[in-house]
Amino acid sequence: MDAAENSHQNTGTPPSRDAYTNAPDLHREIHQVLALDAERDGRQPQPATRPPTDATGDTAAAERARLLRRAALMDRIALDDPRPGPLAAAAETAEQLLLHDHHHPDQAAGPHHPDTTTPTPTHRSYVRQEYAAWTAAGRPGT
């Protein structure tokens, strides 16, 4: 277990088992996140049944949902495999989410807002807080 798993004790954010209670199976989520990345990059067309943005037409919210799901996926993988590669990927995707939220602070939902969060190796706890809040809110932006 890496240090980020226990970081919730110092930050008041949920532990991974609570944050990811309702998360899809890892294999299913990998497939879905890769599909979202391919749609965003233009490598795969978006399904006709889904609009190009979230229900409110907010592309920033849809992009945030993609970044959040990607960061949570990488965090979950790193929890299962705490070698340097997965840990680095989890830290990088968490930082991408945090930077997005710095530019769109109104989209952050957890108690610790991005303007008060300093990126560190343990800022994966920010991902957990935001994933838990996102699922509690009904997964907006998807």
Side-chain angles (χ1 to χ4, degrees):
M1 185 178 302
D2 67 286
E5 172 58 9
N6 293 321
S7 64
H8 65 88
Q9 296 168 344
N10 299 330
T11 64
T13 58
S16 62
R17 70 180 172 279
D18 294 343
Y20 302 131
T21 296
N22 297 316
D25 168 81
L26 269 178
H27 288 69
R28 182 173 156 230
E29 188 67 352
I30 288 170
H31 176 74
Q32 290 179 351
V33 168
L34 287 174
L36 288 172
D37 286 347
E39 289 171 14
R40 179 183 179 266
D41 297 342
R43 293 176 282 136
Q44 176 178 316
Q46 292 185 335
T49 58
R50 190 166 54 111
T53 60
D54 74 343
T56 64
D58 187 352
T59 56
E63 174 64 3
R64 183 183 192 273
R66 185 190 71 81
L67 289 170
L68 176 59
R69 288 179 70 179
R70 198 166 167 252
L73 174 63
M74 293 299 117
D75 184 39
R76 291 171 62 201
I77 290 171
L79 289 166
D80 287 345
D81 184 3
R83 291 181 294 163
L87 289 172
E92 180 182 333
T93 56
E95 183 175 346
Q96 290 168 357
L97 174 67
L98 192 64
L99 290 174
H100 175 87
D101 286 358
H102 275 291
H103 295 294
H104 304 279
D106 58 310
Q107 293 180 351
H112 302 285
H113 283 293
D115 57 346
T116 61
T117 305
T118 304
T120 67
T122 60
H123 65 281
R124 289 167 44 202
S125 61
Y126 179 76
V127 173
R128 294 177 192 146
Q129 135 186 308
E130 292 301 308
Y131 191 87
W134 179 71
T135 55
R139 297 172 51 122
T142 57

